[in-house]
């Protein structure tokens, strides 16, 4: 069925790195822009990053720019988020999210995974 | 950055009520606004995009309106399944969400 399944979350010390993965199935992954959206415990939603369908264009939330890198492997239907220099403010549930529109992303989100929890703590 | 402000933060209502949630943008976002519903422990789901277009499969009791900086989400007759938290989101410049409105059973 159409779904997104995240993995790779866990507990990590401040300053360390973590790589999240998102496996997509049930749709033509390579035709959609993909995003990461996070939600700190008990808080609201915060968009983190986008990668366009062909992987040629990326954009980031200012507070993660230079620390996070979004990438994708369209041959394996996988989305990644490499997170470096993590801080406590990065603690959140990270959702892998599909853009609603094929090819040219509209920046609204019609398919969400269940999320993977990242906890940054010493 | 465009800031999104929702009101109220919490809303108490009964099954069958008509409720309205407001969302204000710090600058014009034309009609580049979406609404999401999130239930506890679940991922959000898209209800409305382009301010007033209902996402496929969403019940018609949900409706959206507005343009520029002022928007509303209306649920015409609350059902038990509608008690959740609702978020607005602008997408004219990147994406930013409102802080959420928790809809509670009165």
């Amino acid at each position: 069925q159409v779904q997104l399944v995240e993995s790779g979350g866990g507990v990590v010390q401040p300053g360390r790195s973590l790589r999240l993965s998102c496996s997509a199935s049930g749709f033509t992954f390579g035709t959609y822009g993909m995003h990461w959206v996070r939600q700190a415990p008990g808080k609201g939603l915060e968009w983190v990053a986008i990668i366009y369908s062909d992987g040629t264009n990326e954009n980031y939330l200012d507070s993660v720019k230079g620390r996070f890198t979004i990438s994708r492997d369209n041959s394996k239907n996988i989305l990644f988020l490499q997170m470096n220099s993590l801080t406590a403010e990065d603690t959140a549930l990270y959702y892998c999210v599909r853009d609603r529109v094929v090819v040219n992303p509209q920046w609204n989100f019609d398919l969400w995974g269940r999320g993977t929890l990242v906890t940054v703590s010493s | 950055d465009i800031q999104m402000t929702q009101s109220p933060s919490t809303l108490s209502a009964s099954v069958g009520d008509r409720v309205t949630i407001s969302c204000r943008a710090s600058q014009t976002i034309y009609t580049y606004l979406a609404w999401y519903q999130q239930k506890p422990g679940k991922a959000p789901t898209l209800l409305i995009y382009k301010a007033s277009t209902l996402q496929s499969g969403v019940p018609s009791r949900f409706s959206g309106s507005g343009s520029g900086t002022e928007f509303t989400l209306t649920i015409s007759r609350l059902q038990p399944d509608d008690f959740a938290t609702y978020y607005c989101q602008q997408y004219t410049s990147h994406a930013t969400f409102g802080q959420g409105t928790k809809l509670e059973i009165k």
Side-chain angles (χ1 to χ4, degrees), chain A residues 22-119:
Chain A
C22 169
S23 179
S25 59
F27 65 98
T28 309
F29 177 72
T31 63
Y32 286 88
M34 295 296 297
H35 307 255
W36 288 96
V37 174
R38 68 186 180 183
Q39 187 168 34
K43 302 297 184 182
L45 301 165
E46 183 174 54
W47 172 83
V48 174
I50 181 178
I51 186 166
Y52 282 47
S53 56
D54 59 2
T56 58
N57 210 342
E58 306 153 28
N59 216 321
Y60 298 91
L61 178 69
D62 281 349
S63 64
V64 308
K65 213 171 285 186
R67 300 189 298 122
F68 289 12
T69 303
I70 189 171
S71 62
R72 66 191 297 161
D73 184 339
N74 285 347
S75 69
K76 297 181 179 177
N77 294 345
I78 304 177
L79 177 72
F80 301 101
L81 185 67
Q82 177 67 43
M83 304 185 296
N84 299 332
S85 303
L86 285 161
T87 74
E89 286 67 43
D90 298 316
T91 293
L93 186 64
Y94 283 74
Y95 291 105
C96 170
V97 180
R98 186 181 78 176
D99 199 278
R100 185 180 58 82
V101 176
V102 296
V103 182
N104 294 315
Q106 296 295 299
W107 295 67
N108 48 92
F109 318 121
D110 73 335
L111 180 66
W112 298 63
R114 292 186 171 185
T116 186
L117 182 62
V118 173
T119 303

Side-chain angles (χ1 to χ4, degrees), chain B residues 20-82:
Chain B
T20 298
I21 297 170
S22 297
C23 178
R24 173 177 291 178
S26 60
Q27 63 190 74
T28 184
I29 59 170
Y30 310 98
T31 55
Y32 294 115
L33 185 99
W35 289 98
Y36 300 84
Q37 177 192 70
Q38 186 177 32
K39 297 179 181 178
K42 301 292 187 182
T45 59
L46 177 64
L47 298 174
I48 286 169
Y49 60 93
K50 211 75 185 345
S52 61
T53 303
L54 210 60
Q55 171 71 351
S56 175
V58 174
S60 59
R61 63 180 180 274
F62 290 91
S63 63
S65 65
S67 66
T69 62
E70 301 285 343
F71 302 86
T72 58
L73 172 70
T74 300
I75 310 172
S76 60
R77 276 187 301 276
L78 273 175
Q79 299 299 303
D81 192 49
D82 299 337

